[in-house]
Amino acid sequence: MKTPAKKRTAAELAAAVLWCALTLGTDRLFFRYDWRTPAFFVYKALFLVLAFGLVHGAVTLVQKLRAGDKFARRWVAWTLPYLAVNLVILLIVWPGIWGNDDLAVLYLARTLQPNSWQHFLTSGAFILSLMFVPMPGGVVLVQNLLISGIVGCFAATAQDLAEKRLTRPVRPAWFALVYLPFLLPPVLMHTQQPFRTTWSTWTELFLVFMLVAMYLRGTKLNKKELAAIVMLGTLAASWRSECVYYLAAIPVLLALLCARRLLRPLAVHDMRQPPGPHYKIWEGKRVPNGIYIQTEYHGKLIRKIVCNGDERWFIGSNCAVTFLSMDDCMAAIDRL
């Protein structure tokens, strides 16, 4: 029996609040802050948001694995081996490879103070990581988990795109080649270093990966993907001054997406189509009085039908159950 979405969200929020309350005790293992300062409430609020996201993500992942979602299974299958390699190396060099600048950030993090030289984002990443794992090595451990998840996403996406775009099937073992650049000794050692460059480089790399993957996928962007692009681009541009060009690149990118009609709402309507009984040209053919515009979301096809100006969305081929918008359709898929 499936739990209703609202009850599940409430349970996840309650778990996040409980986790945040527990940190009031575990923080004593590392922090020496004054809880009456504004910084305390700011970081606890951020921790609550991250804790809720982590709990929600874990529950969603388990549901997808039980439902047999291909991408979720591939992501786990590719993430765990690379994570195992990183954890073995971290165990050898525990608590990580630290430099003087990193130790300065760590020292100020104990009292929730930012380090301006290494950027306040680095201090924020340190403080929030230490609230999850309250020991100096906790920063590097959280860093290893995030990087391993990103590399697993690279491999899973490559396998997913190859399956959809290539006519001949490719053996899954070939996608282990994605590991090669990330198994080079300099990369593995860099993963154990809590430098600002480590956090900013992987943020930038993940942003570029998302853009390339979305381009190759060829389907329309949704609100979550657009928000992820803007957020990652802002972080990449802010974390290091060398990446400030992203502030100019993001508007140009959005303009290109609009021109290619991959960004909604411009992705839905073709304004060059003259009015008449035919709503849109689809693959070179005029569709009389209606059209199916399809995209893909979590492995499910979403189609749109337009009939006499009335628009409805449905999942797969089940046109008996329709939705008023694509967002409602995506929400229904999330509840599956």
Side-chain angles (χ1 to χ4, degrees):
M1 182 177 180
K2 294 184 178 180
T3 304
K6 291 184 178 180
K7 290 185 177 180
R8 191 188 71 178
T9 302
E12 293 167 353
L13 181 59
V17 171
L18 178 60
W19 194 351
C20 185
L22 289 176
T23 60
L24 298 177
T26 57
D27 282 352
R28 298 178 182 179
L29 299 174
F30 177 81
F31 291 99
R32 298 294 183 271
Y33 55 66
D34 183 0
W35 67 270
R36 291 165 293 186
T37 60
F40 170 82
F41 295 98
V42 170
Y43 280 113
K44 285 303 176 185
L46 291 174
F47 178 87
L48 181 61
V49 173
L50 292 177
F52 174 75
L54 185 59
V55 173
H56 177 72
V59 172
T60 304
L61 177 61
V62 171
Q63 289 181 338
K64 289 182 178 296
L65 292 175
R66 288 180 175 178
D69 185 85
K70 285 186 177 180
F71 185 83
R73 291 188 174 186
R74 288 169 178 171
W75 179 76
V76 172
W78 290 115
T79 298
L80 292 180
Y82 191 71
L83 177 61
V85 173
N86 280 324
L87 292 181
V88 169
I89 297 175
L90 177 59
L91 185 62
I92 295 173
V93 300
W94 182 265
I97 304 173
W98 294 77
N100 290 332
D101 289 344
D102 311 310
L103 292 174
V105 177
L106 184 68
Y107 179 78
L108 291 175
R110 299 188 73 189
T111 53
L112 305 183
Q113 297 182 62
N115 184 293
S116 58
W117 180 253
Q118 292 296 319
H119 202 280
F120 71 90
L121 287 174
T122 307
S123 296
F126 273 46
I127 292 170
L128 292 172
S129 298
L130 290 164
M131 287 183 177
F132 280 101
V133 187
M135 61 181 70
V139 177
V140 187
L141 177 61
V142 171
Q143 184 174 283
N144 274 263
L145 293 172
L146 293 174
I147 291 174
S148 299
I150 291 174
V151 173
C153 188
F154 291 168
T157 303
Q159 187 175 356
D160 189 57
L161 288 173
E163 184 181 79
K164 294 177 180 178
R165 295 177 63 90
L166 300 181
T167 56
R168 295 183 178 180
V170 181
R171 294 181 60 185
W174 283 104
F175 295 99
L177 294 174
V178 177
Y179 281 146
L180 290 182
F182 305 109
L183 289 175
L184 295 174
V187 178
L188 292 174
M189 290 297 102
H190 195 252
T191 303
Q192 312 306 326
Q193 299 170 340
F195 296 164
R196 175 179 61 158
T197 55
T198 306
W199 291 85
S200 62
T201 299
W202 281 96
T203 300
E204 183 179 0
L205 182 61
F206 191 55
L207 171 63
V208 174
F209 154 77
M210 282 189 63
L211 298 177
V212 173
M214 291 174 183
Y215 176 81
L216 293 176
R217 188 185 61 190
T219 55
K220 301 174 182 64
L221 303 184
N222 55 46
K223 293 180 180 179
K224 292 180 181 179
E225 292 170 338
L226 181 60
I229 291 175
V230 174
M231 182 180 67
L232 288 174
T234 303
L235 288 176
S238 304
W239 219 315
R240 297 193 70 195
S241 57
E242 294 89 339
C243 298
V244 70
Y245 53 82
Y246 278 108
L247 292 179
I250 291 178
V252 174
L253 169 67
L254 296 180
L256 291 175
L257 292 175
C258 290
R260 288 176 54 84
R261 299 192 297 279
L262 291 177
L263 182 62
R264 294 184 303 175
L266 297 181
V268 174
H269 301 285
D270 188 352
M271 303 306 295
R272 297 172 297 175
Q273 178 69 19
H278 304 287
Y279 183 78
K280 185 178 173 65
I281 295 177
W282 181 254
E283 296 182 352
K285 300 179 181 179
R286 289 184 179 271
V287 181
N289 199 24
I291 183 173
Y292 296 91
I293 301 177
Q294 65 181 17
T295 186
E296 186 177 356
Y297 183 70
H298 295 334
K300 302 287 186 180
L301 285 178
I302 298 178
R303 293 185 171 92
K304 176 182 176 181
I305 183 172
V306 179
C307 182
N308 296 328
D310 186 27
E311 301 179 353
R312 289 292 186 272
W313 299 84
F314 60 93
I315 302 171
S317 58
N318 184 17
C319 59
V321 180
T322 59
F323 302 88
L324 295 177
S325 68
M326 179 179 282
D327 292 333
D328 294 337
C329 222
M330 292 177 175
I333 294 176
D334 290 334
R335 292 193 295 268
L336 294 176

